[in-house]
Amino acid sequence: MSKRRVTYYYDSDVGAYTYGYGHLMKPQRMRITHELVSAYGMLDKMHILRAKRASAETMTRFHTDEYIEFLSKVTPENVEELISQRSRFLVLGDDNPAFEGIFEFCSISAGGSIAAAERLASGATDIAINWAGGLHHAKKREASGFCFINDIVLCILELLRSVPRVLYIDIDCHHGDGVEEAFYTTNRVMTCSFHKYGEFFPGTGTLQDRGRGKGKGYAVNVPLKDGVTDESFKSIFEPVIDKILAVFQPSAIVLQCGADSLAGDRLGCLNLTMEGHANCIKYVRARNIPLVLLGGGGYTVKNVVRAWTYETACALGIEREIDPNLPWNEYFEWFGPRYRLEVLPNNMEDMNVKDGSLDEVRRRVLEQLSELQPAPSVGMQDVPKESLGEHLGFGNANSEEPMDELDERVAQHTRFVYGLQEAVASDNESDEDDADSLSDDSSAGRRHRSSRHRSRRRTRKRMSILTNRYYDVPRTDEHGEEALPDLCGGAYTNGNGNGAGQKRAGRRKFFQSAARWDPVAEKVLVEWDTMHTPRIGVAAAMANPTRDWGARNGYSRDMDGVDGVDEDVAYEEMDVDEEDGEDEGT
């Protein structure tokens, strides 16, 4: 093979993170891969770089601000306190646990993929490798399938700043639903996924999922059955990729090399050997198109390390020169008893050949690609790297000028408003669900049938990558906060000051609260005449949430639900006595 300029991104901290004891996703596999690559002497043949970690602002190029902020502050210690957001963003359970350093791990993964795209777009390299990337299940505003940040989407978005068309190829055992969903309506990115389908996570990726709008036909799915072998996989991979390259003519390729399609994987059910998996890399590399190689799934660690080490050699074009007997390294004992660079097939039966479905899938995919028009033209123009605010000198992170009084007041007001936005974020979710309906059902058929009923659903359906079974995720407005006493204008309480006896009539209204901050007195004041509920001590309400606090405090509720409050009392100062739970201001 001809030589290529290869850039290899690695952060030594990536192996220090863990999803938890016994969890199948093990970031340590990237560290072991690096050790084996180093033991084979490949580092001298590549540019070795440590990418700048992605900032929260960079991640919001695709993900929502609320989701990124949640990831930046969630820890194993406070995850129970953030229960509503935790369920909203699906950072829960064994699939997506809130582990220590979750945001830093995501920043390493995303930073490497973005840096790889930048270097490729600048022409400084022909092939860029980031084995810490490839987390293809993460959605715009929720985690999925061990993935929190979709570094692939961020990588492709960076490439689109410089090139007109990008081809994304996914050879992971699981469907690359997060990437497909992100580019489902555009013709500048073609997504092609080879995956297991049928009662298997994430439950999407049929032949009928082809894109929408301008992106119609630019989402290519190749659903496979159990036990696909090297020969079968090659017989469908090569003709499909050839047809895509002829029709789409990509300017760059992003190849996700998920290793759970290897034989013997703990979650996968395909039967590829190391050579069969690496054949995809060699085949794409031979097309001389700028290439980004990313990691992905893979849960039998020693096989993942073998495959990615061998595929690093394929990127360098030296796969025939390396010794199949493993050199000594820090993790040598892990590779027993054979201590060889190999992943052997097992005795699984290839169901794709047995029932003849492989030929039918190949025929239909090639037929769909033949219906596409030639490569779409794209009007390219220079896109500045810095934002408009940075260009004009606002919000410069390197500025060390002291803030004056006006700056401090504006900053304080901004933080206050942002805090209110956080409070009502959960109430806007129903609107977001309608606007981002692709997040709920990426299958085109199911999406059409369920759209008219989605606003009335009380739960969301999601599939677990561990069990391959669907489970219900409650809406964020279904949590225990509805049973709190009414401090927000009687939006969700009954006459007893709790939500047990009356169904909530409408959306919770945060901005009708009677409490306000008095900057002169520097205290919280309550305008009781704007309230339609009895005055309650906060500590007392928490201690006795079902008690009739209107009667306790001497206030009666008439038949119209309006408190008999003395109108002469316009403002009262509210203090909480932690001992007896009474309002001292009354």
Side-chain angles (χ1 to χ4, degrees), residues 204 437-444 446-447 450 454 457:
T204 56
S437 59
L438 294 182
S439 295
D440 286 283
D441 297 287
S442 55
S443 176
R446 287 181 297 154
R447 184 185 308 113
S450 63
R454 184 173 298 117
R457 287 196 313 222

Side-chain angles (χ1 to χ4, degrees), residues 368-388:
Q368 291 174 358
L369 290 172
S370 299
E371 298 173 358
L372 282 180
Q373 297 296 321
S377 59
V378 178
M380 300 295 293
Q381 59 185 4
D382 180 61
V383 180
K385 290 289 184 180
E386 59 181 0
S387 65
L388 178 61

Side-chain angles (χ1 to χ4, degrees), residues 525-544:
L525 300 182
V526 180
E527 302 177 5
W528 291 108
D529 57 343
T530 65
M531 294 286 287
H532 299 297
T533 55
R535 291 181 281 184
I536 314 167
V538 177
M542 294 177 65
N544 299 278

Side-chain angles (χ1 to χ4, degrees), residues 171 229-231 233-234 237 261-262 271-282 310-311 343:
I171 58 174
T229 62
D230 292 355
E231 183 180 357
F233 198 81
K234 181 178 180 179
F237 180 85
S261 49
L262 292 169
N271 197 18
L272 296 181
T273 67
M274 182 184 71
E275 289 80 8
H277 194 268
N279 178 69
C280 302
I281 286 82
K282 292 188 285 186
Y310 183 73
E311 287 163 3
V343 177

Side-chain angles (χ1 to χ4, degrees), residues 17-29 90-100 102 105 135 137 143-148 266-267 296-301 334 464-467:
Y17 298 97
T18 174
Y19 277 56
Y21 179 77
H23 199 283
L24 291 179
M25 184 63 158
K26 300 185 183 300
Q28 191 183 16
R29 61 197 179 140
L90 295 189
V91 181
L92 72 168
D94 294 329
D95 278 20
N96 314 301
F99 59 89
E100 190 68 40
I102 182 174
F105 173 76
L135 305 180
H137 293 306
S144 176
F146 306 158
C147 305
F148 297 92
R266 298 176 68 182
L267 285 183
Y299 309 102
T300 302
V301 173
W334 285 45
S464 168
I465 190 173
L466 293 173
T467 64

